[in-house]
Amino acid sequence: MEMPAPNQAILGLKDRLVARLQTVLPADAVIHDQAETRAYECDALTAYKCPPLCAVLPSSTQEVSDVLRICHEMGVPVVPRGAGTSLAGGALPTADSVILGVARMTEVLETNYDDRFVRVQTGRTNLSVTGAVEADGFFYAPDPSSQLACAIAGNIAMNSGGAHCLKYGVTTNNLLGVTMVMMDGTVVELGGAHMDAGGLDLLGLICGSEGQLGVVTEATLRILPKPEGARPVLMGYDSNEVAGQVVSDIIKAGVLPVAIEFMDRPCIRATEAFAKAGYPDCEALLIVEVEGSDAEIDEQLGLITQIARRHNPVELRESTSAEESARIWLGRKSAFGAMGQINDYMCLDGTIPVSQLPFVLRRIGEMSKEYGLDVGNVFHAGDGNMHPLILFDANKPGDLEKCEAFGADILRLCVEVGGCLTGEHGVGIEKRDLMVDQFAPDDLDIQMAVKDVFDPQWLLNPAKVFPLDASAKRRAA
Amino acid sequence: MMTPQTEAELAEMVGAAQGPLHVFGGGTRPIGRPVTGEALSLSALSGIVEYEPGALTLVARAGTPVAEIEAALAAEGQRLAFEPMDHRTLLGTEGAPTMGGVVAANVSGPRRVAVGAARDFLLGVRFVDGTGRVLKNGGRVMKNVTGYDLVKLMAGSYGTLGVLSEVSLKVLPQPEAVVTLTLHGVDAAGALEAMTRAITSPYEVSGAAYLPGDTPRVFLRIEGFAGSVAYRAAQLKTLLADLGQITQTDTPEESADQWRALRDVELLAGCANVWRVSMTPSALVDRLLPALGDALGPYQLDWAGGLCWLGADAGAGAADMHTRLQALVADPAINAGGGGHATLIKGDAGLRAQVPVFQPEPAPLAALTRGLREKFDPRGILNPGLMG
Ligand SMILES: Cc1cc2nc3c(=O)[nH]c(=O)nc-3n(C[C@H](O)[C@H](O)[C@H](O)COP(=O)(O)OP(=O)(O)OC[C@H]3O[C@@H](n4cnc5c(N)ncnc54)[C@H](O)[C@@H]3O)c2cc1C
C-alpha cells in the first residue's frame, strides 16, 4: 500500500509546532520524542507502520480545538485516533502528521434513563459505556468484538457494527448527537438527544466518515433496557449451501434473532484446536441467538430448531443454561485469536446479499487453492457481512503481497455479486485503492466534494478512503 | 410538466434545465417553502426492481407508489417497519404517495421509536445531482460502510441535493400477533410517566402515543409471536396498574385502525396549521408544552413523548406561534442541550413563504449545509429554497 511522500517543509516545522502545541496542552500531553511516537506508528493493521511527527493527547473539546487551530494555521495534517484497533489502517500516521488521540477523554458527561441516552467523551471504550449504565438495567447496543479496547470515537468514525446488530443496528442507528471540532478549530453540535434531523442529516454524514470531516469529542448515545435474557442455539451442517438456506428460512419465518453467526470448516477446526469449545467437525456451523423472557426464548428457539431440523443438521444443540451459552459462544469469540495461533492473518470485511453466500464461499475456496493460502470464514450471516481470514507468513518474502492480492480478489467478488467492500471495518488505507471497483469516478467525486466542504485543505486524515490518484489534486491544492 | 420515463432521461432533463425545478413524487406532501419552478414529476419512474424476502431487502424506483410496495411485502409476510405516515388526511392532499417521497422527507411513523426512522432502513440510493450526473451511494446489502454515508444525507433532503431515481430498503417480517393497551384518564405528566415506564421496560413496545382531551388515553403497542405478546401485555399491565384503568384490543384490525389514525395524525386534520416538534420527552412534555400556556391547542404525543404534533386554527397568530415554537426549542432553559426542532408541516403557501419552515440552524451548521448544497446543486435549481 502506497502512502504519499511526507512533505519536507512540514517535517522542518516540527520544533516550532511542538513548541506551539506545548502552549495549549500540558507537557505530558505532547509526545514528540522519537522513541515515544513509535507507540502511535500503527493501528491493528500492523503490516503498515510509520511514526508520526508527534502525538497529542488532549483532555477536553477546548484543547482539541486549540490543537486543530494550530495545525490548521501551520498547514500540518492531523490523524485522529481512538484506541488504534482499526483493521483498515484508518489511524495509520504519515511522517508529516500529528496524531490526535482522544484516549484521555473518557468521562461520562450525562446519564438520562428517562430520555434513554448517555453522553460521553469519545475516548471512552465501547464496553465501558455499557458498563456505566448496566447496573441500572440498560446497555449500549453496538458491540464490536473489539469492544473491550475500541473507543466510541473510532466506532463513530467507522460506523462499527457487532454480532448483535441484526436486531439493534450499527453505530449510526444508535448515535443521537456529537460534539465535533472542525479542522479550523470551530466547535459544532450535530444532532442532540432527540430523534432525527431538523434539516440535512449532517450527523448521519459524520458517522462513518473515517476521521476525515472533523474530530468527534463527545457523543450522545441511545441506550436500551436490557432484555430479560438471551440464549443461543448451535447447529452444524454438511454443506455451506444448506447452512445458507437455513439462515434464509429463519429470516423468512419472521423470527428476528439478535445474532446469526456462521463459521466454516477451516475456522471450526482452528478454534477447536485452540479453544476446545466442543464444536462438531462439519462444513458449516451456525450460532443463532434470541432474546426475551424464558418462555419467549423457548417459543423462538422452538421455531428455529424446527427449521433447523428440516435441513438435517449433523448437530443441534440448544442452550439451556448460562454455562452452555458461554460454551457455544466461546469458540466464536476466540475465532480470530485461534486463527492468529496458526499464522499471521488478514481479516476481510465484505458484505454480500445473503442469497450469494454458498456461491461466494465456493469461489473463495477455489481462490484459496489458486493462491496457495488458507482461509477461514467467520461472519455475521444474518446481514451477509463476511470476515474471511486469510492466513499468511509475514516473515516469508512475498507472502503479504500475495495475501493482499487474494484479499482484493475476494472483495471484488463481493462487489460483483451485488455487495460491497466493507460492512463495518471501514476503508482506511486497506480498501482505498479498491474503491474504483465499487464506485464510478463521479460517485467518488461527490464524496470528495463533501470533504472539500468540511476540510477544504484536506488536512484531516488525508491519505485514506479515496485512491491517492483520485484525491491527488485536492490534497495538493 | 416534465415526466421522465427513465433515469437517463431524468439526468438529461436536469442537466438541460435552464431554471429552477420543482421536484415531486406523488405530490401528497407540500411541505416546506413553496417552490417556483418547472414541475418535474417522478411518477413515471416506477416499479419494484428487485425484492429478496430471504435477505430482507427491496429495491424500487423512486416513483413507485408506497401502496404497491406495501402490497408486495405483505404477500411475503413482510413490511416497511418504520411505518411511513400517509400525509393525505392531515394535509388534505390527493395522489399516491411514492417511495421516493417517503425517503426524501424521511417520513416515519409511531414505530420509529422502537426500530428507527426511514433513514435507518435506507440502504442505498441512486440520484441525479443538480448538474445532471447520475450518482449512487450505499447499496442493497444490510451492512455497508464503504465511503461516506450519503444515503443518510439524501434521506430528509427533500429533493434539494439530488433527484432520487432509485432507493433500496431494508424490510422486516410482519409480526404474528399485535395487541394495543390503552391507559385511560391520565394527564400529560401521567402519560409521560406511563410511556417512559413502558419504553424503558424489557417488554418491547413498538408504539407509545398519547391523545389528550376529554377522554385522554395512552396507547401502547406490543407486537411479536403470540405467546410473547400475551406475556408482555400482562407484564405491562402490572407495571402500569397504579396509573389508571387499562383496556386491551381484541383484534389485530382494531389495533391497526388505532395506529393508522395515530400515524396519520387524523386528530389534527381539521386544523389549518400543524407543527411537528422533536425533542427529548422530558423537554417536550415537562417544559415546552407548559411554556406554551394558553397558546397550546389540540396536540398528540408520539415516540414515547419524543414527538409532538401541535395544531392551531387559521388566524393572524400563526406566524407568531411558529416563531415562538422555534424559539422555545432553541431555548436552553427548555432544552438543556438536548437539541431538537420544530417544523411547520401544514400551513397555507403564504405562511410557508413568510416563515422559516424548518428549524433555523446555528451559523456554523448553516454554513456546512450551504456548502453541501453548492456542491450537490451548484446552479441552485433543485427545489430551491424549500428547506430555507
Ligand atoms: C480483534 C478485533 C476485532 C474487531 N471486531 C470488530 C467488529 O466486530 N465490528 C467492527 O465494526 N469492527 C471491529 N474491529 C475493528 C475496530 O475495532 C473498529 O473499527 C473500531 O471502531 C475502531 O475503534 P478505535 O477507537 O480503535 O479507532 P482507531 O483505530 O483509533 O481509529 C479508527 C478510525 O477512526 C478515526 N478516529 C478516531 N478517533 C476519532 C475522533 N475522535 N474523531 C474522528 N475520527 C476519529 C481514525 O482516524 C480512524 O480512521 C475489530 C478490530 C479488532 C482488532
Side-chain angles (χ1 to χ4, degrees), chain A residues 168-193:
Chain A
Y168 295 113
V170 295
T171 302
T172 190
N173 312 114
N174 293 276
L175 179 68
L176 297 170
V178 295
T179 301
M180 182 175 89
V181 188
M182 312 274 297
M183 187 62 216
D184 66 3
T186 310
V187 179
V188 294
E189 302 285 338
L190 302 174

Side-chain angles (χ1 to χ4, degrees), chain B residues 98-188:
Chain B
T98 63
M99 206 56 234
V102 164
V103 166
N106 189 26
V107 178
S108 316
R111 205 176 288 106
R112 190 266 174 262
V113 71
V115 301
R119 55 91 91 176
D120 295 295
F121 286 83
L122 187 64
L123 302 175
V125 289
R126 293 178 63 87
F127 63 97
V128 173
D129 77 357
T131 66
R133 293 191 294 183
V134 177
L135 301 173
K136 66 170 182 300
N137 194 263
R140 63 179 174 99
V141 286
M142 269 201 247
K143 270 168 83 182
N144 186 348
V145 298
T146 322
Y148 295 165
D149 193 348
L150 305 185
V151 171
K152 301 284 182 302
L153 189 63
M154 294 308 291
S157 65
Y158 287 88
T160 63
L161 296 181
V163 185
L164 292 168
S165 52
E166 191 177 287
V167 297
S168 95
L169 298 156
K170 172 180 170 181
V171 301
L172 284 181
Q174 279 177 359
E176 181 181 275
V178 52
V179 152
T180 301
L181 299 181
T182 308
L183 169 69
H184 300 266
V186 284
D187 61 10

Side-chain angles (χ1 to χ4, degrees), chain A residues 141 143 162-169 258-259 261 289 291 329 333:
Chain A
D143 60 340
H164 291 73
C165 61
L166 186 57
K167 176 169 176 190
Y168 295 113
V258 279
E261 299 289 298
E289 179 156 282
E291 286 179 349
W329 276 111
K333 291 203 166 150

